[in-house]
Amino acid sequence: MNLTGKWTVAQILHFDEEKGMVWADAAELLATDDDKETQMMLKTVVLIADDGTITLLSPLPEDISQEEINEALASGDLVLRDGMMLVGENHWKVENGKNMADTGLEGEVLGEQVGPWEEVKEIEGGLIQMAFYRLKKAE
């Protein structure tokens, strides 16, 4: 699958009190969850470029003033791209015929070291799964 392009969040791994961790539909959560951080996370745009970069962009918080934006831009604390704030950049590569993404996560799971590279899985309906997100290609 060709990963390059603009992707939006279709589903997110979400905690449900009855079922535990489940894949939740982003549109449903946007309509029902009024937590500002969750709203911003669900509106994240993922740009996957031919040069091997994965860029994460998020909308600016609604309660931020233009003065605060200008100050953050001037100090370098904020970078804007296409009217959205840059929240992260990672990399991707093809290894042994598989698309791999650098999740930025490293550590230990059940006593075993794990690295940041994770396979980008193709899911039914043209979705891809990266870490805790299932993404759909933007129109």
Side-chain angles (χ1 to χ4, degrees):
M1 171 182 249
N2 181 4
L3 296 182
T4 60
K6 182 177 182 178
W7 297 80
T8 58
V9 178
Q11 298 177 335
I12 188 167
L13 200 53
H14 180 74
F15 181 75
D16 179 281
E17 291 194 23
E18 294 176 12
K19 300 176 188 173
M21 297 303 285
V22 295
W23 287 103
D25 184 74
E28 288 176 17
L29 283 177
L30 279 168
T32 59
D33 192 331
D34 60 357
D35 179 68
K36 289 179 183 179
E37 286 185 32
T38 301
Q39 290 280 322
M40 287 179 55
M41 186 172 45
L42 293 169
K43 294 176 184 175
T44 296
V45 171
V46 179
L47 304 175
I48 302 177
D50 286 328
D51 69 359
T53 58
I54 300 173
T55 304
L56 303 171
L57 302 173
S58 182
L60 290 164
E62 293 177 9
D63 58 353
I64 190 169
S65 71
Q66 187 62 50
E67 182 179 329
E68 290 171 302
I69 293 170
N70 293 342
E71 287 174 10
L73 287 168
S75 70
D77 290 336
L78 175 66
V79 175
L80 291 180
R81 292 206 187 146
D82 299 326
M84 299 179 82
M85 62 182 179
L86 174 69
V87 292
E89 267 191 336
N90 283 345
H91 297 91
W92 72 280
K93 64 183 177 181
V94 177
E95 186 175 276
N96 299 322
K98 295 179 182 179
N99 290 313
M100 305 292 289
D102 179 355
T103 64
L105 304 173
E106 289 189 69
E108 191 176 298
V109 175
L110 300 174
E112 197 170 312
Q113 283 295 120
V114 292
W117 292 96
E118 179 180 290
E119 182 179 358
V120 178
K121 297 180 179 103
E122 292 182 49
I123 307 296
E124 285 183 30
L127 302 179
I128 59 171
Q129 182 175 319
M130 288 176 40
F132 309 109
Y133 298 97
R134 287 186 175 167
L135 307 171
K136 65 181 175 185
K137 203 121 193 206
E139 300 291 321

